[in-house]
Amino acid sequence: EVCLVAWYWNSQAQDTCWSTSCQLVDPFDTGISDQNNPYEAIQLFPVPASDHLVMTNYGALHGSTVLQLFSVDGQLEKQELVTGWPYTFELDGLAAGVHVLQLRDDSTIRNWRIVIER
């Protein structure tokens, strides 16, 4: 839950006005599903991953396709250029835990939440 608390002090009226607004936020909501997205057909395995992650897709690549892995705090941990399907993404040297995998080409950005176990 994320809350915003705001207040204002009115010096003439010697009074304070307070307002609080809270909303539930899923920190792992990494994208919006799009039925026309060619990357919806991508399969990732094994889940959870340990030393590598295999990605399959039977569609074509659209220009320069980049795969990036981010920590949950947004730090870029690894980046590679995807050259074809299936694609194996090596996870050696990366910390165990939850990560965000992003695939980006000339027309699409797609995100997945992945777990690395050691």
Side-chain angles (χ1 to χ4, degrees), residues 14 39 55 63 70 72 91 94-96 98 104 109 116:
Q14 295 291 304
Y39 292 116
M55 304 177 71
F70 296 91
V72 291
L91 302 173
L94 297 170
V98 178
R104 178 188 309 227
I109 296 175
I116 298 175

Side-chain angles (χ1 to χ4, degrees), residues 2-95:
V2 175
C3 294
L4 172 67
V5 178
W7 64 273
Y8 175 75
W9 170 253
N10 185 328
S11 60
Q12 290 180 349
Q14 295 291 304
D15 195 10
T16 302
C17 178
W18 290 86
S19 180
T20 302
S21 176
C22 296
Q23 183 174 355
L24 289 174
V25 175
D26 180 359
F28 301 113
D29 182 10
T30 57
I32 298 171
S33 179
D34 179 359
Q35 301 242 340
N36 297 319
N37 183 344
Y39 292 116
E40 289 298 316
I42 288 181
Q43 296 177 2
L44 304 172
F45 59 90
V47 177
S50 58
D51 57 350
H52 69 280
L53 183 68
V54 177
M55 304 177 71
T56 63
N57 182 328
Y58 301 104
L61 297 173
H62 299 94
S64 177
T65 303
V66 176
L67 190 61
Q68 296 177 313
L69 187 72
F70 296 91
S71 61
V72 291
D73 64 356
Q75 297 296 314
L76 178 63
E77 297 179 304
K78 187 171 184 174
Q79 177 173 306
E80 292 182 5
L81 183 63
V82 177
T83 55
W85 305 114
Y87 188 79
T88 301
F89 192 66
E90 298 297 332
L91 302 173
D92 295 335
L94 297 170

